[in-house]
Amino acid sequence: MTSPLRRACIMGHKIAYSRSPKIHGYWLRTLGVSGAYDVVDLAPPDFPSFFLSLCAKGYAGGNITKPHKEAAFELVSRREKAAEAIGAVNTVWCEGTSLVGGNTDWSGILLSLDHLYPGWDAKAGNAVVLGAGGAARAASYAFCSRGLNVTVANRTRGRAQALADQFGGNVSAADWDVRDDLLAGCDILINATSLGMSGEPPLSIRLDRLKPDAIVYDIVYVPLATELLKAARRRGHRTVDGLSMLLYQAVPGFARWFGVTPQVTPELRALMEADIATAAPAP
Ligand code: ATR
């Protein structure tokens, strides 16, 4: 007897660049799951009605990408605690006919670190987060959830301050100009800005202040080896690249929709590395 086809999708606009279908498609194929992951391109006026009828259409859930993330945040029936705190919904699933909104960026950061460097947080006390957008909020939430103190440095100080005010006790804001000075006591540094992405200015930061055992994480994945990661590797630091985050943030969604927890295999990573190397940069 064959199991019923389960469906999920990515909802966005002008999303030919999206790599999520390749990731979920790989897992569907290799795990032998009877399912599909569709690409649904919706202009903003068409998004709410499609989104609100997602469960009725037979979907188990989906991902939301630009420019619909804010609308999705507002339209879900209920938000998970993390999505609420981070202020962004990137993954939804159906509970009956209700849509629940979650955020998998923060768990992607933790899953990648736990997988690559098991026990990385055992002695880690301090994290430095560069940036104050959605990715930085996810990183701050992730590190707070493991009990680290987080310092957020952002070009626009007010955004870092707003993040610190909202997250409270363990999170503080710093001026962008003092980012080098924050590194002396830092156990994990994450670049959650767009700096270093192809077509963007480089990230200027002095890694010589960093403790030798600190981890350097870059959310940028085009290019795969950013100048930040190359400099960190030259200095002997443990590093995590943006492709790891991209792959691991997809795990919880797949597990929700299709009922199987997928693995980030070397084969999947190689497939995506090749894709990044050959494809035009994502906008
Ligand atoms: P996302 O939600 O995807 O994280 P975002 O909200 O656009 O994206 O955030 C991009 C981050 O990169 C912001 O922290 C931004 O700083 P501002 O809040 O000051 O805009 C940061 N960023 C972008 N260009 C930058 C630059 N040239 N120098 C320093 N920070 C920069």
Side-chain angles (χ1 to χ4, degrees):
M1 201 178 101
T2 54
S3 51
L5 185 79
R6 295 176 73 89
R7 302 189 83 84
C9 64
I10 181 162
M11 292 157 274
H13 189 38
K14 300 179 180 162
I15 49 172
Y17 67 86
S18 173
R19 294 190 163 91
S20 295
K22 292 191 179 70
I23 299 171
H24 293 292
Y26 168 85
W27 283 329
L28 287 171
R29 274 196 317 280
T30 55
L31 295 170
V33 173
S34 170
Y37 184 88
D38 302 332
V39 176
V40 183
D41 195 302
L42 298 157
D46 301 328
F47 176 72
S49 62
F50 183 91
F51 186 66
L52 291 171
S53 61
L54 195 69
C55 309
K57 284 185 165 64
Y59 282 102
N63 288 125
I64 303 97
T65 188
K66 288 176 186 172
H68 305 315
K69 283 192 181 179
E70 288 78 13
F73 185 84
E74 296 302 331
L75 289 169
V76 288
S77 307
R78 175 171 81 75
R79 291 183 283 266
E80 277 200 321
K81 192 170 133 227
E84 191 75 48
I86 294 164
V89 161
N90 70 347
T91 302
V92 294
W93 56 93
C94 299
E95 278 181 8
T97 54
S98 299
L99 266 181
V100 183
N103 183 300
T104 60
D105 285 340
W106 73 282
S107 37
I109 291 169
L110 293 181
L111 283 170
S112 57
L113 283 163
D114 289 345
H115 183 81
L116 293 168
Y117 304 117
W120 67 273
D121 57 343
K123 288 192 205 138
N126 298 298
V128 171
V129 174
L130 302 178
R137 297 175 68 85
S140 301
Y141 186 87
F143 297 142
C144 280
S145 77
R146 293 289 173 91
L148 276 74
N149 296 310
V150 177
T151 308
V152 180
N154 191 50
R155 175 179 61 177
T156 308
R157 162 81 193 220
R159 288 184 87 194
Q161 193 60 54
L163 200 169
D165 291 346
Q166 186 205 331
F167 279 50
N170 292 350
V171 182
S172 54
D175 285 334
W176 183 244
D177 290 348
V178 304
R179 61 195 179 283
D180 292 340
D181 303 330
L182 305 173
L183 300 186
C186 169
D187 298 294
I188 180 158
L189 166 69
I190 185 163
N191 173 39
T193 73
S194 47
L195 295 173
M197 192 184 291
S198 75
E200 299 290 328
L203 169 66
S204 160
I205 192 155
R206 290 193 49 182
L207 295 184
D208 54 342
R209 310 271 179 94
L210 211 49
K211 294 192 288 187
D213 61 351
I215 296 175
V216 177
Y217 200 133
D218 201 339
I219 64 152
V220 171
Y221 64 89
V222 180
L224 199 54
T226 60
E227 292 305 318
L228 172 67
L229 292 180
K230 285 197 264 185
R233 285 173 192 145
R234 277 196 299 273
R235 300 184 59 80
H237 291 288
R238 293 173 290 170
T239 60
V240 189
D241 61 23
L243 176 56
S244 293
M245 178 175 167
L246 180 74
L247 295 170
Y248 282 96
Q249 67 77 33
V251 169
F254 189 96
R256 284 253 180 216
W257 310 318
F258 300 113
V260 183
T261 300
Q263 300 296 312
V264 174
T265 60
E267 187 188 29
L268 172 60
R269 200 184 146 92
L271 208 74
M272 300 309 293
E273 280 185 12
D275 188 66
I276 290 168
T278 55

